[in-house]
Amino acid sequence: MRQTQLFTKTRKEAPADEMAKNAQLLIRAGYVHKEMAGAYDLLPLGFRVVDNIKKIIREEMNALGGQEFIMTGIQSKDVWTSTDRWSDDIVDIWFKSELHAGGQVGFGWSHEEPITEMIKNHISSFRDLPIYVYQFQTKLRNELRAKSGLMRGREFVMKDMYSYSTDAEQHEKFYQKTIDAYKKVFDRLGVGEDTFVTFAAGGAFTEFSHEFQTICEAGEDIIYINREKNIAINEEVLNEKTLKDLNISREELEQVKTAEVGNIFNFGTEKCEKMGLYFKNEKGETIPVHLGSYGIGITRMIGVIAEKFSDEKGLVWPESVAPFQIHVLVLGEDEIVIAQAEKLYGQLTKRNIEVLFDDRKGVSPGEKFSDADLLGIPYRVVVSAKTVQQESVEIKKRTSADSELVSYDEFIARFTV
Ligand code: ATP
Ligand code: MG
């Protein structure tokens, strides 16, 4: 991608009303545009980051046997009434609207009820189970506070997966496999070491639900962790009973601020019973299905990464999510230098390496450097009169202060897999 053709530019200032560091950086670097509080457009750069995260999640969910699908954003009132969750007193984040034809619809803040209703048409016998499906959805929530940038949107992207199982054992097996798959996802996203499987409130049949909490100063949650014992407890369930159950004392726990990047939940048979999702088991008995739901906040994750991986100069993307791997900067307007940069750009793109090529004219080297730092692409590669004289390029990692001079061939070879 040529920077002269890239839609959106970097900006000196974020909007004055934007308080969150993650959104300030992402807006200034041209990854997102703020429509209003809690609503951000994903511009081409931001879109690429979302796409990279989705690819990683898709691979891990498919490996679990998950099948991707997509449900509608508008939802039926009746479906949610059946579990009492249409009421604004019970769910306080609904967006709803009136149909011209009469009647109300809700905008999907979750899909647990609609999918369970849909599954009723597809299950009658134990032979139809288990079912594992997931989607990437734009969720709409009328959040009271939307001051954390991408970390709490009124419109945001979530991966939500659902498991329908014949019994507690089949359910539990998948639940545990999903925990492992989530760990892989967060490892691959570069936050594995700072992400904890955390005991939290909820769970219909179990005492706890499990949240995936990533240490982050700008996060809205507080959890208590012990790294050696690998135990994490959300403050909402930190009490004598929990400590006793987990065989740990308060003194062994360290308090940290976190952001909830994922949440997995065991409904047992409760929701399926309420909604009438039953099947015939091998003995011919009619029994309710076990439901599990598994979310990952994709746009929140981007906010968390921007908060954690950034410095005073800008973003510092982990390679796995970066919109491009290499940022080639051509300095000056000498024709020979430009021709050399074009040649290298061509060689890299031919090898399917994701490159952003700063081919802008009339932009000073200083400005190109500061934009490169703001954009945060993992490798910056400079082609200038000085490097061309030595038949080399200057490579600098975004995470490092040092650069090195490398011959053209070695440069290409280094990035060829
Ligand atoms: P929170 O407690 O932060 O409001 P939640 O418990 O409502 O989250 P879920 O309904 O379980 O969250 O949604 C699954 C995941 O979606 C969360 O773990 C989080 O990563 C993400 N998420 C939830 N609400 C938002 C939001 N308003 N903006 C961005 N991401 C969100
Ligand atoms: Mg919430």
Side-chain angles (χ1 to χ4, degrees):
M1 168 68 70
R2 290 170 184 277
Q3 216 161 322
T4 46
Q5 264 143 49
L6 180 70
F7 167 59
T8 72
K9 294 188 179 67
T10 57
R11 310 168 38 154
K12 289 266 180 306
E13 306 282 347
D17 68 343
E18 183 54 73
M19 297 304 168
K21 177 172 101 175
N22 66 84
Q24 287 174 353
L25 280 167
L26 290 162
I27 292 168
R28 282 180 48 222
Y31 285 73
V32 303
H33 173 80
K34 185 176 188 174
E35 285 287 338
M36 58 184 133
Y40 299 88
D41 302 310
L42 295 167
L43 303 178
L45 287 171
F47 185 81
R48 279 176 170 263
V49 173
V50 167
D51 217 37
N52 289 336
I53 296 177
K54 281 186 183 174
K55 266 186 217 152
I56 290 173
I57 296 177
R58 188 175 278 130
E59 280 176 24
E60 298 300 341
M61 297 305 106
N62 289 352
L64 282 173
Q67 293 175 54
E68 190 171 348
F69 77 137
I70 190 153
M71 296 190 69
T72 64
I74 54 172
Q75 301 180 337
S76 139
K77 173 181 172 181
D78 291 345
V79 166
W80 286 95
T81 306
S82 71
T83 58
D84 246 4
R85 292 214 290 176
W86 177 258
S87 160
D88 293 319
D89 298 331
I90 291 169
V91 173
D92 60 0
I93 39 117
W94 269 116
F95 279 116
K96 295 174 180 171
S97 187
E98 305 286 329
L99 291 174
H100 287 316
Q104 281 180 296
V105 290
F107 299 137
W109 62 276
S110 158
H111 283 72
E112 282 150 2
E113 271 76 343
I115 184 176
T116 302
E117 184 65 25
M118 185 242 273
I119 294 283
K120 278 161 97 177
N121 298 291
H122 301 273
I123 293 178
S124 53
S125 129
F126 65 91
R127 292 194 183 85
D128 302 323
L129 293 166
I131 292 176
Y132 308 125
V133 281
Y134 70 93
Q135 63 179 344
F136 296 104
Q137 258 280 355
T138 298
K139 307 283 184 191
L140 297 164
R141 295 187 180 183
N142 199 343
E143 302 274 2
L144 187 60
R145 279 176 206 83
K147 289 184 183 149
S148 299
L150 274 80
M151 292 170 63
R152 183 171 297 284
R154 296 200 167 99
E155 175 168 341
F156 61 97
V157 182
M158 190 203 287
K159 184 281 305 180
D160 42 326
M161 179 168 70
Y162 304 89
S163 69
Y164 292 88
S165 308
T166 50
D167 52 38
E169 194 190 332
Q170 191 180 59
H171 168 86
E172 190 58 27
K173 247 192 198 155
F174 186 76
Y175 192 90
Q176 290 304 328
K177 267 170 69 182
T178 306
I179 291 183
D180 293 337
Y182 269 37
K183 285 184 189 160
K184 280 190 210 152
V185 166
F186 296 117
D187 276 343
R188 292 178 67 183
L189 295 176
V191 296
E193 273 188 23
D194 276 352
T195 301
F196 294 84
V197 185
T198 307
F199 292 100
F205 268 36
T206 46
E207 194 174 351
F208 301 111
S209 73
H210 291 98
E211 292 172 344
F212 286 75
Q213 295 275 5
T214 305
I215 295 178
C216 180
E217 263 313 299
E220 295 176 4
D221 292 352
I222 289 172
I223 68 166
Y224 292 82
I225 59 170
N226 181 305
R227 288 173 197 270
E228 280 82 57
K229 295 192 175 168
N230 200 18
I231 287 179
I233 307 169
N234 191 312
E235 66 170 351
E236 67 192 11
V237 295
L238 186 79
N239 53 44
E240 263 173 51
K241 182 175 183 313
T242 304
L243 290 171
K244 194 158 165 260
D245 287 354
L246 300 175
N247 191 23
I248 195 156
S249 69
R250 173 66 190 83
E251 293 69 48
E252 295 171 89
L253 296 165
E254 172 196 350
Q255 183 188 9
V256 285
K257 281 183 86 176
T258 52
E260 180 197 311
V261 290
N263 190 356
I264 66 176
F265 205 87
N266 177 4
F267 285 96
T269 55
E270 190 188 37
K271 191 168 301 286
C272 295
E273 280 176 56
K274 263 192 190 162
M275 296 188 67
L277 176 57
Y278 290 86
F279 71 104
K280 273 208 165 60
N281 68 10
E282 293 189 48
K283 294 180 201 145
E285 299 156 345
T286 300
I287 56 169
V289 177
H290 278 72
L291 168 64
S293 101
Y294 314 82
I296 294 181
I298 295 183
T299 38
R300 176 175 293 178
M301 194 69 241
I302 293 177
V304 170
I305 291 173
E307 292 278 342
K308 289 177 74 73
F309 302 105
S310 53
D311 57 21
E312 66 291 344
K313 292 175 177 166
L315 297 156
V316 187
W317 294 107
E319 287 178 32
S320 59
V321 297
F324 297 94
Q325 289 307 301
I326 305 178
H327 198 172
V328 173
L329 275 51
V330 58
L331 305 187
E333 284 170 31
D334 183 313
E335 269 173 36
I336 296 168
V337 177
I338 292 173
Q340 182 57 48
E342 288 280 351
K343 189 174 162 193
L344 291 169
Y345 173 59
Q347 288 174 322
L348 293 167
T349 47
K350 215 165 63 199
R351 287 170 169 76
N352 290 325
I353 301 162
E354 301 281 3
V355 186
L356 181 64
F357 178 27
D358 192 348
D359 58 340
R360 293 176 298 170
K361 295 210 163 112
V363 176
S364 72
E367 212 173 318
K368 286 194 176 185
F369 286 138
S370 61
D371 276 353
D373 282 337
L374 181 57
L375 257 60
I377 293 164
Y379 293 90
R380 187 190 77 188
V381 171
V382 169
V383 184
S384 66
K386 199 179 96 194
T387 68
V388 167
Q389 216 168 44
Q390 299 173 75
E391 301 192 349
S392 304
V393 296
E394 186 201 78
I395 305 180
K396 185 181 128 6
K397 274 182 106 160
R398 180 64 179 84
T399 50
S400 149
D402 308 319
S403 61
E404 64 176 318
L405 215 58
V406 170
S407 74
Y408 299 142
D409 288 348
E410 196 193 325
F411 165 50
I412 299 292
R414 201 181 281 189
F415 287 94
T416 307
V417 273

